[in-house]
Amino acid sequence: MLAVRNLTISFSDAENKNTVVKNLSFSLSKNKILGIVGESGSGKSVSSLAILGLLSKKASVEGEILFEGENLLNLTNKKFQEIRGRKISMIFQEPMSSLNPTLQCGYQVSEVLKRHTQLSKKEIYNEVIELFKKVKLPRPEQIFSSYPHQISGGQKQRIMIAMALACKPKLLIADEPTTALDVTVQREILQLLKELQEENEMAILFISHDLALVSEIADEVLVMYRGELVEKGTARELFTNPKKEYTKALLYAKPSLNERLKKLPTVADFTEDYFKKEVFDKEERKKFHKKLYSKEPILEIKNLYKEFISGGSWLKKGTIIKAVDVVSINIYEGETLGLVGESGCGKTTLGRTILQLEKATSGQIFYRKKDVTKLSNSELKNFRKDIQIIFQDPFSSLNPRITVGEMIIEPMQVHKILKTKSERKDYVLQLLDKVGLSSAFYNRYPHEFSGGQRQRIGIARALALQPKIIICDESVSALDVSVQAQVLNLLNQLKQEFQFTYLFISHDLSVVKFMSDRLAVMNQGKIEELGEADAVYENPKKEYTKRLIEAIPKGL
């Protein structure tokens, strides 16, 4: 169905020519799934954009892309419009930037069916509702009329999947389609894609940075590094017996479920051959925990309840959604408390309510014995200096109009940290060095950085106020496994150096297990299970926790 031959893609400006894909060749048959694995910048996504004719005019493309025998590189834009969405469809990686913020979610999916089918308005509505049910969206009728900002990141990704599947395409390009999804929904989506592929004899090009995930769905896998194909084979061959060091690095950079490492291996560790595996001693950890939990908690959450009213107006009463449903939990100074659960379970709302970015409906939050729900505005300002947050999406959380240096200095000025501008600049340069960034980045803007670099900038900004507690809200969920390993190692290193306390929020249980001393499992606004991280994983008490553990991609 698809044959890519000697594909070379370059981008040129007045001074340089940058070749991002070099002589890439592969083929994909009807009713087969081909996985492409690699880090950001490996060329996997740009190759998929070339297939759909979506590269910018600055791109130079050589070679052939044959779809059903026709070279797509020779097509006019009008001819491509007839193919896109109907014969070849794509699930994009970043749903927030792919969905129109001014249009209702259901309308955006309806547009595809209006363009390529003869269905009536009512038939299109019914078809969209069925698609929403297929991709496991809750309250499909309500989400149809919701705007993108009113639903979670995982739900937005499912909207994109529904849109891509609307016309039952012959070729589906799935570019990191499950990155923003929790493990249970991720498994459901993989099963759904597999079922639809078999039902429609559809070919799927599945792009991901996670080799374990790809090996669960793909028939064959290509591994790309810096624009070149470095290894290919069946999913089983690459997962069980990788030949290249880079492929091994992609496998081992993901946190192990069987042992607790002190430091995760990165790509550099494998390619430069200097990684030494260090495993935590269980008795050593027991002593640490005994000392840690003998103290008074730094943060006490008592009977916290937060509700939202959805879909209400002056004409009708809205639906009450219990985002945080009477939660009581303590956080101890120096610990990392992991908070894990599916999208929409209330974990982010809990973090935002602790910070008072959302006001609690009822309940109390004590920081060093003081109830933060009753603080005045000036007291709240001082409280926020002590508790900082690293957001999920590093790009949308950084101001695109100011430089890295300015955005880190700004909160320091507000909280009067250090006296002069030169002192603050020197401190920011030290912070950039701490998080592994060059001092040359001080005068650059967010769009000039990769996802991993942006997340490091977000970490530096959080460190600037010398906080006592940092809330990491899905802070590595959008990163490649290799970059994720670097950031997780960095967070642990900084914790040791500055004696932070972390509330580590994630939908990825393997990451939470690696980072956390204790693990809290959240489900539908409630704490379902709480205990020492390794113990919860090894001997889960609740069915919901067991389901989360079973859904973690473990590969073949």
Side-chain angles (χ1 to χ4, degrees), residues 190-207:
L190 290 181
Q191 288 172 347
L192 173 67
L193 290 175
K194 189 75 177 167
E195 286 165 14
L196 290 167
Q197 175 243 337
E198 290 171 356
E199 182 184 321
N200 303 319
E201 296 190 332
M202 180 170 62
I204 298 180
L205 190 61
F206 193 96
I207 298 168

Side-chain angles (χ1 to χ4, degrees), residues 186-245:
Q186 177 176 265
R187 172 166 280 190
E188 289 167 359
I189 293 299
L190 290 181
Q191 288 172 347
L192 173 67
L193 290 175
K194 189 75 177 167
E195 286 165 14
L196 290 167
Q197 175 243 337
E198 290 171 356
E199 182 184 321
N200 303 319
E201 296 190 332
M202 180 170 62
I204 298 180
L205 190 61
F206 193 96
I207 298 168
S208 179
H209 59 257
D210 189 337
L211 186 51
L213 178 72
V214 170
S215 68
E216 290 193 349
I217 189 173
D219 300 299
E220 190 178 23
V221 181
L222 312 179
V223 180
M224 290 185 71
Y225 181 55
R226 294 183 178 175
E228 295 186 77
L229 177 63
V230 294
E231 190 166 1
K232 68 176 179 178
T234 66
R236 181 169 294 279
E237 286 169 351
L238 287 192
F239 188 79
T240 57
N241 189 28
K243 300 286 191 296
K244 302 289 184 178
E245 293 302 312

Side-chain angles (χ1 to χ4, degrees), residues 325-330 337-341 345 347 350 503-504 509 512 516-549:
D325 193 2
V326 194
V327 164
S328 295
I329 195 168
N330 293 336
L337 175 66
L339 184 62
V340 70
C345 73
K347 55 191 189 295
L350 177 59
L503 175 61
F504 193 89
L509 205 145
V512 173
S516 306
D517 298 296
R518 286 187 305 153
L519 179 62
V521 180
M522 199 166 185
N523 181 25
Q524 296 182 349
K526 295 179 182 290
I527 298 297
E528 189 95 1
E529 190 162 353
L530 173 66
E532 197 274 319
D534 290 336
V536 171
Y537 176 76
E538 288 164 12
N539 187 27
K541 301 285 191 293
K542 298 294 181 79
E543 285 302 318
Y544 178 74
T545 312
K546 290 175 185 175
R547 193 156 59 87
L548 284 181
I549 292 168

